Amino acid sequence: MNTNSSIICIGELLIDFFCTDVGIDLVGGQHFEKQAGGAPANVCATIVKLGGTAKFSGKVGKDPFGHFLKKTLDDVKVDTSMLVFDETHPTTLAFVSLKEKGERDFVFNRGADAFLAEDELDQDKLKEASILHFGSATALLEDPFRSTYLNAIQSAKKEGQFISFDPNYRSDLWQGREGMFVDLVKQGIALADFVKVSDEELSIISGADELTKGVQVLHQLGAGLVAVTLGKSGTLISNEEKQETIPSIKVHSIDSTGAGDAFVGAMLYQLAKEEEPKKIIEDFEQIKEITTFSNKVGAIVCTRVGAISAIPTNEEVFQKG
């Protein structure tokens, strides 16, 4: 068992301002709650809270929000030595409110995370990691981060490292450019050992109207292990040879924010324990056990408010039985 294997998560770290006024759009909203956001950061925090080792690689502004985000990760013991502070651009901010019919009102102020350049990545640390996770909602939007991101995936492939990829589709960010999103995401899937998608993402990327067919499309692109998260129905897991839906535990869900990221973090936490994570993909019975544990972690997150603050410890997961 490889207990010291490290994972690096590359992507955005930002501030989510959630409007706490009920049923009001951003025009009328008056009260906002500040929270640390960014899918790769949530994955990092999950790995560490479960007992693993993880580094976060990304860029924030050299401003109070950037320092708040670093402190948030430091407080849960995520390694932030690869976090870059931008002297010019402010920290990325997202403002979200839920209108009367549950529709989302969303404003995105893109900042520092878009400007992570290739020469700002610590290449030596990247090569030391056994697993690299690429799960950013914003990384593929524009250069320079887009090129930095895709080149890092290609470099990891050449180094023979285990690559985890989560497209993290956000309709608010890709309106009118869905085709570009699919084309870019397929480049990541083609190189990935593990791909996690939601059922909605699977449909958009594969063009298939049935889960099994959609999963097969991802395997044909090059994906090794594919996980399709299905909410309370569990997770469809496939290594191409075998495919099965692994049930989740029953919980009273109050906030699903970060549940998918927690699932990914739990999967990678367990895979990183192995001397050769890529070989585990062939052992479907072990993959089912890993998925069962990860489903529990995601479900527990749904019972609590917040993302990073909702992530359970290993002990809390085992107490769920």
Side-chain angles (χ1 to χ4, degrees):
M1 183 174 286
N2 188 6
T3 56
N4 297 315
S5 183
S6 69
I7 303 166
I8 295 177
C9 303
I10 304 172
E12 84 275 2
L13 181 59
L14 52 85
I15 300 287
D16 282 321
F17 280 107
F18 292 101
C19 183
T20 56
D21 301 322
V22 178
I24 295 177
D25 61 15
L26 290 174
V27 174
Q30 295 288 329
H31 304 95
F32 292 84
E33 183 177 284
K34 177 184 70 175
Q35 289 189 13
N42 294 338
V43 172
C44 254
T46 302
I47 294 162
V48 174
K49 289 187 79 171
L50 289 173
T53 304
K55 296 181 177 72
F56 175 80
S57 179
K59 198 169 194 180
V60 295
K62 195 172 184 180
D63 54 31
F65 294 133
H67 290 293
F68 163 77
L69 291 168
K70 181 180 186 302
K71 182 180 185 302
T72 300
L73 294 185
D74 287 340
D75 285 348
V76 293
K77 309 302 183 187
V78 168
D79 185 331
T80 57
S81 61
M82 296 179 73
L83 180 65
V84 178
F85 282 94
D86 193 316
E87 300 275 354
T88 306
H89 303 96
T91 299
T92 299
L93 308 176
F95 297 84
V96 187
S97 72
L98 289 178
K99 296 185 282 189
E100 281 188 20
K101 294 182 179 179
E103 295 175 356
R104 210 164 74 139
D105 200 10
F106 179 85
V107 171
F108 189 60
N109 289 342
R110 189 84 189 272
D113 85 284
F115 297 93
L116 184 67
E118 204 159 345
D119 62 3
E120 293 175 309
L121 288 177
D122 189 322
Q123 298 296 336
D124 290 334
K125 286 183 178 177
L126 286 177
K127 290 176 182 178
E128 289 172 1
S130 65
I131 295 176
L132 292 178
H133 173 64
F134 299 86
S136 175
T138 70
L140 298 175
L141 288 171
E142 58 197 3
D143 281 330
F145 193 19
R146 179 196 294 160
S147 295
T148 300
Y149 199 72
L150 292 174
N151 288 342
I153 298 176
Q154 291 166 1
S155 295
K157 187 70 173 180
K158 289 176 184 175
E159 291 291 328
Q161 292 164 291
F162 188 99
I163 298 170
S164 168
F165 184 74
D166 180 352
N168 263 307
Y169 177 69
R170 297 291 182 270
S171 59
D172 299 297
L173 301 178
W174 290 98
Q175 287 179 359
R177 299 195 299 161
E178 291 84 359
M180 179 187 290
F181 167 81
V182 172
D183 289 343
L184 290 167
V185 161
K186 283 182 176 179
Q187 294 181 43
I189 291 171
L191 301 173
D193 300 288
F194 171 57
V195 175
K196 177 264 175 189
V197 289
S198 67
D199 50 354
E200 177 197 16
E201 289 166 342
L202 180 65
S203 176
I204 292 168
I205 296 164
S206 70
D209 56 5
E210 198 270 324
L211 289 176
T212 301
K213 291 179 182 177
V215 168
Q216 199 57 40
V217 170
L218 300 197
H219 284 307
Q220 288 169 354
L221 286 169
L225 182 67
V226 175
V228 186
T229 49
L230 305 170
K232 64 181 181 181
S233 298
T235 301
L236 175 64
I237 197 82
S238 171
N239 67 352
E240 194 165 14
E241 294 296 320
K242 294 182 179 180
Q243 186 177 112
E244 189 172 327
T245 298
I246 310 301
S248 187
I249 58 173
K250 291 184 178 180
V251 295
H252 175 62
S253 178
I254 60 172
D255 182 7
S256 61
T257 303
D261 302 328
F263 171 85
V264 173
M267 291 288 288
L268 299 184
Y269 159 71
Q270 294 169 93
L271 288 168
K273 291 180 178 181
E274 305 298 330
E275 290 290 347
E276 297 183 70
K278 291 186 182 186
K279 284 198 171 180
I280 301 304
I281 292 173
E282 301 167 13
D283 187 342
F284 197 68
E285 290 305 310
Q286 187 168 352
I287 286 298
K288 286 166 61 176
E289 291 177 12
I290 288 172
T291 306
T292 297
F293 176 87
S294 302
N295 280 347
K296 288 181 185 177
V297 174
I300 292 170
V301 167
C302 292
T303 67
R304 304 168 179 178
V305 176
I308 290 177
S309 60
I311 299 165
T313 62
N314 220 325
E315 292 73 21
E316 289 173 317
V317 180
F318 282 110
Q319 284 171 9
K320 282 287 181 182

